Structures are given as C-alpha cells and as structure tokens.
C-alpha cells in the first residue's frame, strides 16, 4: 500500500482541498496537523521554498501547492475522476480553477484592509461575483454535471468567504445582488459538509484570531 501523508491545517481551505481529493479517491493517509507559529521540521524540509501547508508526501516524495496536489492525486491513484476526461472540459476546469486562485488575494483584501485599498479590492470582488453569478445562471456546476476539480478549488468562495464576512462585518455577497452565486453556495455546503469543517468552528477560530490581532495592537 502506498505511503501517503498530508501536512495540513484543519481551518485551511487549501488543506481541505487535498483532503477532499484523497477521500474521493478512497486513499488511506496519515494526517498531520502543523502549526504556522511553530512550523515542524518535516514541513520545512518538505516545502523549503514556501514553508507552508498543505504538503502531500507520497512514498517519501513531497508535492506542494493544493491545486497541483489535487491534480497529482487524480493522475496517480485509481478511483473516481476529479478532473473531467474530455480535453475541452479539462481545459475549462483549469481555467475556472485559476480564476478562483487569482481572485483569492482580492477577496481577503476586501475584508481585512481599510480605506482606499479595501475599496479597490471590493470593486474587484464585485466584478468577480458578477462573472460567477452570470456563469451559474443556467447550471448547477461550473464544469460538467457533478462536483469536481473546480468545485474543490472553489471551497474558499463557497464557505470561508461567508464566514469571514460574518466575522469582519463586511458583507459583499447578498441574494439580491448575486442570486445564482448564493444558490450555488448554499447547495454546495449542503452537498459537501463531509468534506468541509463545521461552519461554527471556523467562525469561532477566525473570531478569536481577529480578537488576538486587535489586542496586540
């Protein structure tokens, strides 16, 4: 049996992407929770460039970056396909996955920055949401007829962003403005709870984090 280890963080959407892929494939693996404030020697050795999770260690070889790991898992192990088989659909899936990856920084800036920088980030997020809402107007998924690669990569938009909106009090997503995106997000969480951390635990974690940051200033 293959030796598979995952270095991760329970509250990280990037770690959860990899866990999701491993579970879809039915792969047995050893999960090791790391600590960003006191990074393990194994993490520093396995990802010396970025020094961050997730890291998949397969037969003593390290693979880094969550979307790269998910593709590696799909190509390496037997089981249900994560990326579509059709070449056009695969290209489409990679396009939308990159779209979500590229917009991640703006999503975070729109919630945590202040002043002019925050307003600029909000505008970028609104444009992103308009595109997503339009894309979802006549379909349930971004590519194909089932959850797959894009949906795994989009987990932060589907759960984490809403939690952080509630924690910070900065609300950008409403059903009035983005009904299709909200319908997708609601259905996403219902269908995939087993692959996601409990929402209330995420909320408590980030609320405590923000309180600690505020107290340290």
């Amino acid at each position: 049996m293959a030796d598979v280890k995952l270095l991760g963080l329970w509250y990280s959407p990037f770690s959860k992407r990899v866990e999701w892929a491993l579970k879809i494939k039915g792969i047995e693996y050893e999960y090791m929770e790391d600590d960003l404030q006191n990074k393990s020697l194994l993490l520093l050795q396995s990802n010396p460039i970025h020094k961050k999770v997730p890291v998949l260690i397969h037969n003593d070889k390290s693979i880094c970056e969550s979307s790269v790991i998910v593709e590696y898992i799909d190509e390496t192990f037997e089981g249900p396909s994560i990326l579509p088989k059709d070449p056009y659909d695969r290209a489409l899936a990679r396009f939308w996955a990159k779209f979500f990856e590229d917009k991640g920084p703006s999503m975070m800036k729109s919630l945590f920055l202040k002043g002019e920088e925050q307003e600029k980030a909000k505008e970028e997020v609104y444009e992103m949401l308009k595109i997503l809402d339009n894309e979802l107007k006549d379909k349930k998924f971004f590519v194909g007829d089932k959850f797959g690669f894009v949906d795994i990569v989009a987990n932060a938009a589907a759960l984490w962003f809403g939690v952080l909106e509630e924690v910070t009090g900065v609300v950008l997503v409403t059903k009035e403005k983005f009904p299709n995106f909200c319908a997708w997000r609601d259905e996403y969480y219902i269908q995939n709870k087993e692959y996601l951390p409990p929402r209330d635990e995420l909320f408590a974690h980030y609320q405590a984090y923000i309180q600690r940051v505020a107290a340290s200033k």
Side-chain angles (χ1 to χ4, degrees):
M1 186 175 66
D3 180 21
V4 180
K5 299 182 178 71
L6 172 61
L7 302 180
L9 294 169
W10 73 268
Y11 56 85
S12 163
F14 307 104
S15 294
K16 289 300 178 182
R17 291 174 180 176
V18 178
E19 287 192 75
W20 191 336
L22 290 168
K23 288 174 181 177
I24 286 174
K25 292 288 188 178
I27 301 164
E28 292 187 15
Y29 63 97
E30 180 184 353
Y31 175 79
M32 290 176 282
E33 182 82 3
D34 219 284
D35 180 359
L36 293 184
Q37 304 307 313
N38 185 26
K39 296 176 182 179
S40 68
L41 180 60
L42 182 58
L43 172 59
L44 298 176
Q45 291 173 337
S46 302
N47 190 358
I49 296 174
H50 296 301
K51 301 178 178 63
K52 63 182 182 180
V53 297
V55 177
L56 185 77
I57 303 173
H58 178 211
N59 292 336
D60 297 323
K61 294 179 180 179
S62 303
I63 304 98
C64 306
E65 298 298 320
S66 60
S67 58
V68 174
I69 298 171
V70 172
E71 288 208 47
Y72 175 85
I73 290 169
D74 195 33
E75 294 171 353
T76 303
F77 298 98
E78 298 293 328
S81 294
I82 295 171
L83 275 153
K85 293 294 187 185
D86 179 77
Y88 175 75
D89 285 345
R90 288 173 76 87
L92 202 58
R94 289 189 173 110
F95 169 84
W96 283 113
K98 189 174 188 307
F99 180 85
F100 278 107
E101 296 263 328
D102 289 347
K103 299 302 180 183
S106 292
M107 294 171 71
M108 297 303 289
K109 289 176 182 177
S110 71
L111 299 174
F112 290 102
L113 293 183
K114 300 296 180 184
E116 188 176 333
E117 286 184 298
Q118 184 182 42
E119 293 307 312
K120 182 180 177 181
K122 282 182 179 180
E123 289 178 13
E124 291 180 19
V125 172
Y126 279 133
E127 287 304 310
M128 175 198 79
L129 291 167
K130 286 177 186 176
I131 291 169
L132 295 177
D133 198 68
N134 182 65
E135 184 67 21
L136 291 162
K137 67 178 182 293
D138 55 3
K139 59 185 185 180
K140 291 174 65 178
F141 310 108
F142 283 95
V143 180
D145 58 358
K146 65 177 183 178
F147 275 83
F149 183 61
V150 181
D151 304 280
I152 290 174
V153 172
N155 65 350
L159 174 59
W160 274 260
F161 191 64
V163 171
L164 290 172
E165 280 184 307
E166 189 176 345
V167 171
T168 60
V170 179
V171 179
L172 302 177
V173 183
T174 64
K175 289 184 178 180
E176 290 72 29
K177 288 183 178 179
F178 308 109
N180 301 318
F181 178 81
C182 287
W184 169 82
R185 184 175 66 177
D186 293 345
E187 185 64 22
Y188 186 111
Y189 187 67
I190 291 169
Q191 287 199 27
N192 298 288
K193 279 187 177 181
E194 64 181 301
Y195 301 119
L196 300 165
R199 196 182 191 284
D200 57 343
E201 291 182 16
L202 272 185
F203 179 85
H205 169 78
Y206 286 109
Q207 186 179 51
Y209 170 77
I210 288 176
Q211 289 172 348
R212 287 197 303 273
V213 171
S216 67
K217 292 181 179 179

